[in-house]
Structure formats: structure tokens, C-alpha cells
Amino acid sequence: MPWPAGRETSTMTVLPIRLPDGLILRSAIPGDRDAFASLQSDAHKDSDGKPNAAVGAWSAELFDRAHPTMELADITVVEDPATGALASGLTLVPQTWSYAGIRFGVGRLELVATHADYRRRGLIGRQFDALHERSAGRGQLMQVITDLMFFHQEHGYHAVLTQRAGRGGWTRDLPPAPSAGEPAGLRCATAADAPFLESIDGHAGSRVLLTCARDRALWAYELTGRSRDNMMRDEIFVIQQGDRPVGYALSGYGGIPSFPIPSWLPGQPCPESVTSISGLELAPDVSWSEILPSVLRQTTGADGYMLWLGTEHPAYQLLGDLLVRRPPNIGWFVRIPDLAAFLRHITPVLDKRLAESAFRGHTGTLRLHFYTFGLRLHFQDGKVADIDRWPEHTRRSSDASMPVAMFLSLLLGHADLGELAPAYVDHRLQTQLAAALLATLFPKLPSQIWPVI
């Protein structure tokens, strides 16, 4: 399905921009399709040095097939008018995430690429600035990116949320099928299953702090919006008990059928056959203990399996010691440009945590010092009354002072104060009351953000 007429005309006030050396930063247009796909596939070469065709297909299909949340103006390119070549490119994928049930807009940055002849000119940084402004204009409270690596802090990103976590085992160790046959079956999901998948996903989201919410349109896109050549296409199965759909299983990991297990690198072949499962959810009235082994027996036609299901999941509890592999976690890089606005947005969650704690009925102010700025959280009768900037912030007059990255780790449930303290020796908790209040407001909780976009 092509882009609807006129979608590519969405305006972005900061573009186009004329850069040094005559380069032009602008929004993508339909005619950029082939050059953008070629740029991305070349920048993300396979291990053998050949252009990555799967990345190229992913990039091209952002132009060919209408994405439920993206416009062409969400893709920036840097053009060299002297040659007509695209020197660099970047995309912004609008998403909706949920924080303990409170939804908010997120701008996910992806497909970062610069041609080798144009590197070290700050082209990615200029596109970051442009897409950050566009993200803010869309009302998105957070921006995220994976694999930003070495230049994240200059753009305000911090690795404060788990992006990939999993555990794995050997197929041979799974219990055999019962003599009466498998208690559940699998079938390939279709677009008609989108309402059911949306409902199951909504239930699963209640189990974690942060999740990416997919409505029916996004589920339909996951099922029909990508060709088999697209890097991001996975196999989605509906789990059936008789004629009743009871859950889903996602085979693959962001388009990688067999995601490498460290110490092997992404994109490198595994030394043995391994099946990756990055989504596995059941209806609330269905027994995990009955269904899980059956699903794994039918999806893991390989020597081993990896469950990329976050840091906590019902499957981990049931499989227990069978999960002999636990590779290192990989994190999201997160940027929250207006921390006060985000905290105000999730105030209902904070109020609920206070009401269920020893701070029920608490009145007072929590002064937080982040070295370059400060915030005040005002409480009245056990509820957040206001959150504002603290212009005269100082470390000595604060209740707690810490780097922003440490606070974001608390806010997003990534770690608790005890776990973070050794890594942030420059933080100070001035009072025990402040320590207890922070622990109450921001407990450690698991999150699961499905990697597919």
C-alpha cells in the first residue's frame, strides 16, 4: 500500500537547513526511496562486507507501505546537491508507551546511517536536533534509541532501561509431549487476529511497568506491513486450545530468526541452531504450566532456544533450572527533555504508590538536585500537589542530589537505590526520609518493550 496522497507534505519548520560544504538537511520525499535504502544497507553491512539487504528492504518499505504512526517527514536526510547523493539519514518512529497504565508519546530514533565519505561532520547530531524538535512538536515526552554507543550523552540520552534480556536452554531438556497429544496448537496469525492480539497484549502490559502499546492498526501492520525480506519481520503465531485462541508467540527477535547468544555478535552466525522467541503471552484464565511446554516443543525446532522476554516473565518461573543460559542485558538509551512534565504526567501512579505506603497522608516537599538544575515535588495529604523547577537549587539545601542518569534509572524502575549507589559515588541522600520517599515513589519493577517497530 503506497503512502496516502499528501502525507509527505507534513511541515517541519526547522527544515530544510543549509549545512557547511553546501549540504542540505531536509525531510525525506518519495523520490529518496532507493537512495535511502542503499545508504542504510551499505552502512549496516553484513559480516562478509556485503550490503545488508534485509536493512535495505526495511528502509525501502517505510516509503512503500503506509506505517500506522510514521510520515515521510519523520525521516530526515542530508543531501549533497553537487552530486545528488544522500550523505546521511535518520528516522523517527512515533510510539505510545505505558507507564503503569499511564500512556505517553515516545519518539524512537532508528536507522542511523552516514556514508563513509561524509562522516565526522556532525550530520547525525544535526538530524538528532531536528527530530528532537519534531518529537516535541508531536507532544512526545520521551525519546529512545538502541545501540547509540559512544555519543549518546552529548544528545541527552542515558542507558537507564533494559532493552534486551533473556534466558535460554536446550530443546532436548524440555518434557516430552503427553501421550494424549499436545494440549495446545499453533497457527500463523492473520490481520483478522489483530483485535485478539491487542487484548492479550493489553493484559500482558499490566504485568510490567513500561511497555509499548500496540493498537489494532499496529498489530495489523506487524502482520501484513512487511515483506519476508524485511529485517523487522517476525513470525507471529496464535496459540489455540481447540477452536479457542488463548495467546500468541513471536518467533524471532526484531527480524533475526536466531538471535546470537553472547559471546557471539549480532549478525554473526550461531555455532548451533537456536530459536529465538521474543513474545509469549496467554489470556488471563489460561494455565502457563499446561501451555508453555507445548508451545516451546512446537516452536523450537532447533538444538536450543532463547526466550527474549525481559528480566522477569512467567515462563522463567516455570522453566527454572532448565534455563541454563542468561546472556548479558542490553539497554535502551532514554532521553526525557522535560523531567517535570513527565513526572506530572505520571502523577496518578505516584499518588497510588503513596496511598499504599507508610507515606499515606504525607505532607511536605522533596527537593531534588541534579547539579545543573533542580526539581521540587510538593505533597499534600498523601498526594502530589505540584512539581516545579527549583531555581535556587543547591546541593546542601537539597533532600537528595544525584546525576540525572541515576534518577532516570529509579524513575523507570531499572534499579533500586542500593544497586545504583556504587555506580554513582557522587550522589547524596541528605535524610533517611528522602531515601524512603524515593524508594516508595520509584520502586524497582520489570519492563518489557517488544523490539519490533
Side-chain angles (χ1 to χ4, degrees):
M1 178 180 178
W3 286 91
R7 284 192 73 173
E8 68 274 9
T9 63
S10 295
T11 59
M12 183 175 176
T13 57
V14 298
L15 298 183
I17 297 175
R18 187 169 295 278
L19 303 177
D21 302 324
L23 303 179
I24 295 176
L25 167 59
R26 59 174 175 80
S27 299
I29 58 174
D32 293 325
R33 174 195 185 273
D34 293 344
F36 185 79
S38 177
L39 170 71
Q40 295 291 342
S41 61
D42 186 65
H44 299 89
K45 288 184 174 67
D46 292 328
S47 56
D48 58 6
K50 295 179 181 178
N52 191 319
V55 172
W58 174 20
S59 305
E61 288 177 13
L62 292 177
F63 290 77
D64 296 341
R65 304 181 180 209
H67 191 285
T69 67
M70 285 184 68
E71 303 178 354
L72 283 187
D74 293 317
I75 302 174
T76 54
V77 296
V78 177
E79 179 185 5
D80 187 345
T83 63
L86 293 189
S88 186
L90 183 62
T91 67
L92 174 74
V93 184
Q95 294 185 329
T96 298
W97 285 19
S98 171
Y99 184 100
I102 303 294
R103 294 193 171 193
F104 61 97
V106 172
R108 177 168 178 178
L109 293 164
E110 262 295 349
L111 289 170
V112 184
T114 298
H115 190 281
D117 294 343
Y118 295 90
R119 290 175 183 164
R120 295 178 178 82
R121 302 191 194 184
L123 301 184
I124 295 298
R126 296 301 297 266
Q127 292 175 91
F128 265 61
D129 292 341
L131 289 181
H132 286 165
E133 181 173 332
R134 181 168 180 81
S135 181
R138 283 174 167 256
Q140 294 163 355
L141 296 176
M142 178 188 294
Q143 292 82 41
V144 298
I145 192 170
T146 60
D147 302 327
L148 189 54
M149 301 301 181
F150 54 90
F151 63 109
H152 57 281
Q153 288 190 350
E154 65 188 85
H155 300 294
Y157 288 83
H158 302 277
V160 291
L161 180 64
T162 299
Q163 182 258 330
R164 191 194 78 201
R167 303 179 191 178
W170 298 104
T171 304
R172 63 176 180 261
D173 294 333
L174 292 172
S179 57
E182 295 289 1
L186 300 177
R187 64 171 174 81
C188 292
T190 69
D193 294 308
F196 167 73
L197 296 170
E198 180 188 23
S199 67
I200 294 293
D201 219 26
H203 162 68
S206 65
R207 198 176 57 238
V208 295
L209 176 62
L210 280 161
T211 188
C212 180
R214 278 173 168 74
D215 60 16
R216 296 183 187 186
L218 279 166
W219 271 107
Y221 182 77
E222 298 291 356
L223 292 163
T224 65
R226 300 185 176 96
S227 71
R228 289 192 172 275
D229 296 329
N230 190 316
M231 174 182 169
M232 301 309 291
R233 187 183 187 277
D234 287 314
E235 296 292 339
I236 302 174
F237 298 97
V238 171
I239 303 169
Q240 296 265 152
Q241 276 191 313
D243 295 333
R244 180 197 175 198
V246 296
Y248 73 80
L250 175 68
S251 179
Y253 186 92
I256 304 172
S258 181
F259 196 88
I261 300 171
S263 59
W264 299 283
L265 299 175
Q268 302 292 322
C270 290
E272 72 264 352
S273 176
V274 177
T275 297
S276 290
I277 297 175
S278 58
L280 185 56
E281 300 299 341
L282 297 177
D285 61 341
V286 176
S287 168
W288 278 95
S289 61
E290 180 181 5
I291 299 299
L292 175 62
S294 180
V295 170
L296 292 181
R297 283 191 293 265
Q298 296 175 71
T299 55
T300 56
D303 296 333
Y305 60 90
M306 281 300 304
L307 304 178
W308 301 104
L309 304 175
T311 57
E312 296 182 22
H313 193 273
Y316 298 165
Q317 301 173 30
L318 285 170
L319 293 169
D321 293 341
L322 295 183
L323 297 174
V324 295
R325 284 176 160 167
R326 189 170 183 171
N329 298 347
I330 289 180
W332 286 97
F333 292 89
V334 176
R335 175 179 184 266
I336 302 181
D338 190 339
L339 196 51
F342 186 87
L343 288 167
R344 291 189 202 104
H345 188 72
I346 64 166
T347 290
V349 178
L350 304 183
D351 287 346
K352 184 174 184 293
R353 290 171 179 171
L354 289 169
E356 296 173 349
S357 75
F359 288 95
R360 182 177 62 251
H362 175 70
T363 296
T365 298
L366 179 65
R367 297 171 180 84
L368 300 176
H369 174 63
F370 302 115
Y371 303 129
T372 58
F373 71 99
L375 293 179
R376 292 177 297 205
L377 281 69
H378 305 279
F379 306 97
Q380 183 68 43
D381 299 326
K383 291 187 177 182
V384 178
D386 191 20
I387 299 171
D388 63 0
R389 284 271 181 173
W390 181 22
E392 65 277 15
H393 64 92
T394 67
R395 184 169 194 169
R396 289 186 179 276
S397 59
S398 70
D399 297 297
S401 61
M402 64 189 73
V404 171
M406 181 178 180
F407 181 73
L408 291 180
S409 291
L410 289 173
L411 170 64
L412 302 182
H414 182 63
D416 60 33
L417 284 168
E419 293 169 324
L420 292 168
Y424 296 97
V425 296
D426 51 348
H427 83 283
R428 293 290 186 274
L429 300 176
Q430 307 291 7
T431 67
Q432 180 57 42
L433 184 68
L437 189 51
L438 284 169
T440 296
L441 291 170
F442 309 113
K444 180 181 178 180
L445 294 168
S447 293
Q448 172 69 342
I449 310 296
W450 185 13
V452 181
I453 57 173

